[in-house]
Amino acid sequence: MAVIDKDEQQEHIIEGRKTFFICPDATLLPENYLEEYMARGYETYIIGDDRYCPLKAKVEVIIETFTDSILFFYIDMPVPGISWEKYIKELQEKYTGRILIGVLYAKRQSEEDKKKLEKYYLFDVGIQCGCISLEYQKAKNFALIDKVMYANQACGRRKNIRAICDTKSRVSFVTKHGQIKGSILDISLSHFSAIFDKTLDVQLYEKIPKVLINVNGLHFISDAILVMQRMKNGVMLNVFVFSNSMGQQGVESDIQPRLLERIYQMTSDKAKSLMRFKFDEARKNLRQYMNDDDLYDAGYYNFDGD
């Protein structure tokens, strides 16, 4: 019996605070930062301008789908049909209290230009996530953005992001009663939940050594402690916390990067798939009711009327 159905999987994809970088300069904010931000507990995505779906439509989809979102707009990236000053002001007025907005821009040579920009966005428009002046040395930008995300609680309620596993993800270990096998439902850097093929004869808070984990093809061994059990859809759900050799919560340090990479891949693939579906719906709806000239006039134009 499936414990997590399709509707619940989509709910899991949507839940939690997410941060979206809108049209960033890849030389200042490279995509590999996203996995590193996940290690800090931040679920982040890059949304670019392309010929398939207009950027304004994408932003509307994000706001309506991911209702607890932070949006950082890189205002030095030109997008046909969009004036960043006007557009961000419109979004702030329309969605006040629903989303958090921040602004990214390349470092200005003039202090006067910087102050003018900050005055407009912070005081006149009233965005809450600040104006971040990105350095040309991209290594500094990770910490700059990290500091702002931390201040705005970009990690939400969860310290570690959990990923929903596929049906091939398995767990097994040996107790005094023999080998126990089960299916892993979700996993993070600190915890995993599982259901088992037979009754689990393990006490709460009992430490289980050498638990064999196979999560979407990644194999590793870790000690684990059973911390919670509850019935869900008629099945007993078991929640474990990983325990490393230092007696701390989490997997061993050599396993962590590999597990993080797999969690990032699983989480981002599902979210990106949902966004692609939503963007496709938005594009079809726009093309049904508006021609190319209307789309351009409305600021939705970023394709050549293919």
Side-chain angles (χ1 to χ4, degrees):
M1 178 179 180
V3 176
I4 301 179
D5 58 26
K6 288 184 178 180
D7 289 340
E8 190 174 352
Q9 285 193 38
Q10 179 162 314
E11 183 179 333
H12 170 77
I13 295 169
I14 292 171
E15 72 178 4
R17 176 161 287 184
K18 294 172 174 55
T19 299
F20 297 89
F21 299 107
I22 312 297
C23 296
D25 184 336
T27 63
L28 303 180
L29 179 64
E31 191 168 358
N32 65 332
Y33 279 4
L34 304 188
E35 186 175 330
E36 295 180 52
Y37 283 135
M38 181 167 283
R40 302 275 292 159
Y42 310 132
E43 189 175 349
T44 58
Y45 299 92
I46 288 175
I47 304 297
D49 178 48
D50 57 53
R51 295 163 62 90
Y52 185 74
C53 182
L55 183 66
K56 281 190 175 183
K58 289 182 179 180
V59 171
E60 294 290 336
V61 165
I62 289 168
I63 293 171
E64 295 300 327
T65 304
F66 304 101
T67 55
D68 187 11
S69 298
I70 299 175
L71 280 71
F72 284 102
F73 293 88
Y74 182 69
I75 60 172
D76 288 331
M77 182 65 70
V79 175
I82 292 181
S83 163
W84 291 118
E85 290 186 1
K86 181 181 178 182
Y87 179 47
I88 292 172
K89 186 174 187 292
E90 290 173 350
L91 288 176
Q92 178 68 16
E93 291 173 349
K94 184 177 179 180
Y95 295 108
T96 297
R98 289 184 56 185
I99 59 172
L100 297 173
I101 295 177
V103 163
L104 308 174
Y105 63 96
K107 186 175 182 179
R108 298 294 193 257
Q109 298 298 321
S110 166
E111 186 68 20
E112 183 179 346
D113 288 346
K114 177 183 176 182
K115 289 180 179 179
K116 182 180 178 181
L117 186 151
E118 290 179 344
K119 176 186 179 299
Y120 176 75
Y121 286 107
L122 297 178
F123 297 99
D124 298 343
V125 177
I127 65 172
Q128 294 177 270
C129 289
C131 292
I132 306 176
S133 174
L134 298 181
E135 300 284 343
Y136 291 107
Q137 293 179 316
K138 64 182 180 181
K140 296 181 180 180
N141 294 329
F142 181 90
L144 287 171
I145 297 171
D146 177 78
K147 184 178 180 180
V148 174
M149 288 199 293
Y150 178 81
N152 287 281
Q153 299 179 319
C155 59
R157 297 179 183 179
R158 292 183 178 273
K159 182 180 179 182
N160 292 308
I161 295 168
R162 64 188 179 104
I164 299 293
C165 299
D166 63 19
T167 55
K168 296 179 182 179
S169 295
R170 303 285 293 175
V171 56
S172 67
F173 52 86
V174 177
T175 70
K176 60 184 177 181
H177 301 286
Q179 188 175 36
I180 304 293
K181 295 182 178 181
S183 298
I184 300 175
L185 302 180
D186 60 66
I187 192 167
S188 72
L189 291 176
S190 57
H191 293 73
F192 72 93
S193 66
I195 55 174
F196 293 95
D197 303 335
K198 59 183 179 180
T199 301
L200 182 63
D201 190 13
V202 174
Q203 299 298 313
L204 277 176
Y205 308 111
E206 179 180 343
K207 186 174 183 178
I208 307 167
K210 297 183 178 179
V211 177
L212 177 61
I213 300 288
N214 174 6
V215 53
N216 284 38
L218 173 65
H219 298 260
F220 65 91
I221 295 174
S222 176
D223 295 348
I225 300 170
L226 179 65
V227 293
M228 187 176 72
Q229 291 181 305
R230 62 185 177 91
M231 293 299 294
K232 184 172 183 179
N233 298 336
V235 178
M236 181 63 74
L237 180 68
N238 305 271
V239 180
F240 295 83
V241 59
F242 290 116
S243 178
N244 62 32
S245 58
M246 302 295 290
Q248 299 170 331
Q249 178 178 299
V251 296
E252 300 290 349
S253 58
D254 62 326
I255 298 172
Q256 185 172 336
R258 293 186 290 138
L259 179 56
L260 174 63
E261 181 181 4
R262 190 54 50 94
I263 291 172
Y264 172 74
Q265 180 185 33
M266 293 159 61
T267 303
S268 61
D269 283 353
K270 288 181 172 65
K272 288 176 182 178
S273 177
L274 177 61
M275 282 188 274
R276 281 194 296 269
F277 173 76
K278 296 283 188 178
F279 292 162
D280 186 56
E281 285 189 325
R283 178 181 186 268
K284 290 176 181 177
N285 289 337
L286 284 171
R287 298 303 291 271
Q288 182 178 357
Y289 297 107
M290 303 175 72
N291 60 37
D292 291 339
D293 290 337
D294 292 334
L295 288 169
Y296 185 91
D297 293 339
Y300 281 105
Y301 185 91
N302 66 350
F303 52 89
D304 294 331
D306 51 340

